[in-house]
Amino acid sequence: TTEERSDLEEKYQLGYTQLLVNYFFAAARTGDVEVLAHFVDSGFPIDQRNSESYTALMVAAYHGQQQATAVLLEQGANACLQDKRGNTAIMAAVIKAEFEIITQLYRQECEAGLTNKSGMTLEEFARYWGQGDKLKDASIAAKKQTQP
C-alpha cells in the first residue's frame, strides 16, 4: 500500500541520514579534512551532534586532529557548545593533553564563567585532569598568536 511504502521510505531516509552523520564523525575522528570540507560545503550542519551529544569539533579535538579542528573552526564550528555533561571541545582536548588544539580552541571566545555539569570551569577542569600548566601555557601562546 501507499502507507507502507511511505513508512519504508521514511525508514530508509532515516537510515541514510544516520549513515551520513556517522561518516561525518568518522572524518572528524580520523582527521579527514577533505571529507569534512565536502560535507560543510554541501550544507551539512557543522554543529550536528552525534548520539553521544558530541559535535565534530569535540571529536576532532579529543582525537588530536589538529588540522581537522582548524578546518572546522574556519568553517564556523561553535567551540562553545557543550555536550550532555556540559563539556566543550577545549575540555576534550584538555583530557588528552593536546597542547596545540588547546591553544587553537583557547582563542575562541566562550563565556568566561562557563561550567560543566559538575560545576567546573575550564581552569578547574584542567587542574582536575592534571593539565593546569598546559592550559596556562596554551592561554599564553594563544594571546601571543593573536597580538599584532
Side-chain angles (χ1 to χ4, degrees):
T1 68
T2 306
E3 188 175 311
E4 288 173 336
R5 186 177 333 156
S6 178
D7 287 347
L8 186 60
E9 287 173 358
E10 186 177 320
K11 287 179 184 176
Y12 175 79
Q13 188 63 35
L14 287 172
Y16 183 71
T17 300
Q18 188 58 52
L19 186 65
L20 287 174
V21 169
N22 292 346
Y23 192 35
F24 181 65
F25 280 88
R29 186 176 53 258
T30 61
D32 192 333
V33 294
E34 190 175 319
V35 169
L36 288 172
H38 183 70
F39 266 86
V40 174
D41 291 346
S42 298
F44 193 83
I46 197 164
D47 290 323
Q48 171 73 41
R49 292 180 184 269
N50 67 12
S51 61
E52 298 295 316
S53 79
Y54 305 136
T55 64
L57 182 62
M58 293 171 188
V59 170
Y62 181 80
H63 287 280
Q65 299 298 339
Q66 187 176 346
Q67 190 177 8
T69 299
V71 165
L72 289 164
L73 288 171
E74 288 165 12
Q75 294 289 332
N78 185 341
C80 304
L81 293 178
Q82 295 175 282
D83 67 15
K84 64 185 175 189
R85 292 175 192 86
N87 297 326
T88 61
I90 195 170
M91 289 173 166
V94 164
I95 291 170
K96 298 295 247 183
E98 292 289 346
F99 178 77
E100 293 300 325
I101 294 174
I102 294 168
T103 303
Q104 282 178 308
L105 292 166
Y106 202 90
R107 288 193 294 263
Q108 307 304 306
E109 294 189 21
C110 296
E111 184 184 322
L114 191 69
T115 61
N116 65 12
K117 300 246 171 121
S118 297
M120 288 189 271
T121 64
L122 174 59
E123 290 75 18
E124 293 165 334
F125 187 84
R127 282 195 303 275
Y128 174 83
W129 287 96
Q131 302 299 331
D133 289 342
K134 272 205 190 300
L135 181 65
K136 186 177 177 182
D137 292 346
S139 72
I140 293 166
K143 289 173 186 164
K144 284 182 183 175
Q145 290 173 2
T146 57
Q147 290 175 350

